[in-house]
């Protein structure tokens, strides 16, 4: 995976807001104007890419949740993107964990960090 953006991106210093999974679910571009995606508990602001994450965008299913599981599995399966389990990486293979970590790096080079999810259950 190529981690460097095609066009230069100027990122703000990371913010340190705290979100519950419930609060994160509101940042879907509808309930709240901003769109956030979390990976490994880190919340990224993807609002500037409505073509990808907004209504009708091909990555819409990852918005307003911690999408660690589906990103690690490269899955858009409803069972993986369900927000009640989308954060759960307890049964991912080493390769899937590496893929999830690659996505984290990819997002961290493109999107501002807003904060952390504080209530992801430990498995």
């Amino acid at each position: 995976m190529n981690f460097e953006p095609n066009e230069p991106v100027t990122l703000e210093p990371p913010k340190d807001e705290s979100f519950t999974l419930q609060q994160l679910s509101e940042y879907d571009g509808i309930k709240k104007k901003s769109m956030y995606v979390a990976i490994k508990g880190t919340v990224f602001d993807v609002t500037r890419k409505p073509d990808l994450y907004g209504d009708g965008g091909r990555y819409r299913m990852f918005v307003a949740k911690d999408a660690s599981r589906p990103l690690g599995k490269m899955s858009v399966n409803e069972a993986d993107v369900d927000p009640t389990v989308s954060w759960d990486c307890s049964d991912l293979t080493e390769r899937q964990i590496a893929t999830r970590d690659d996505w984290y790096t990819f997002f961290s080079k493109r999107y501002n960090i807003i904060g952390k999810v504080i209530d992801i259950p430990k498995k």
Side-chain angles (χ1 to χ4, degrees):
M1 179 182 296
N2 178 15
F3 299 121
E4 297 304 319
N6 292 332
E7 298 176 16
V9 177
T10 302
L11 298 174
E12 297 172 7
K15 295 181 182 166
D16 196 22
E17 287 188 48
S18 296
F19 296 86
T20 64
L21 289 168
Q22 178 63 41
Q23 289 168 325
L24 180 61
S25 74
E26 296 177 9
Y27 290 87
D28 62 359
I30 298 167
K31 293 176 194 151
K32 296 207 183 231
K33 186 177 177 180
S34 298
M35 291 180 288
Y36 295 168
V37 174
I39 305 170
K40 295 173 46 173
T42 298
V43 181
F44 296 93
D45 184 348
V46 298
T47 307
R48 66 180 181 79
K49 289 291 196 170
D51 55 320
L52 297 176
Y53 299 98
D55 196 25
R58 66 181 188 210
Y59 302 123
R60 178 72 178 160
M61 75 286 300
F62 301 132
V63 173
K65 62 185 73 156
D66 187 302
S68 296
R69 178 183 191 81
L71 288 170
K73 293 178 79 173
M74 300 289 289
S75 171
V76 294
N77 182 311
E78 191 64 36
D80 294 319
V81 298
D82 179 332
T84 63
V85 297
S86 63
W87 48 266
D88 183 5
C89 296
S90 63
D91 64 346
L92 297 187
T93 66
E94 285 184 31
R95 185 178 190 150
Q96 290 168 331
I97 293 289
T99 299
R100 179 209 57 193
D101 292 349
D102 285 348
W103 278 114
Y104 181 92
T105 301
F106 180 89
F107 271 67
S108 69
K109 291 184 176 282
R110 286 163 177 76
Y111 303 109
N112 289 315
I113 294 174
I114 299 301
K116 291 276 186 190
V117 180
I118 57 172
D119 66 341
I120 293 178
K122 304 287 184 215
K123 286 221 169 193

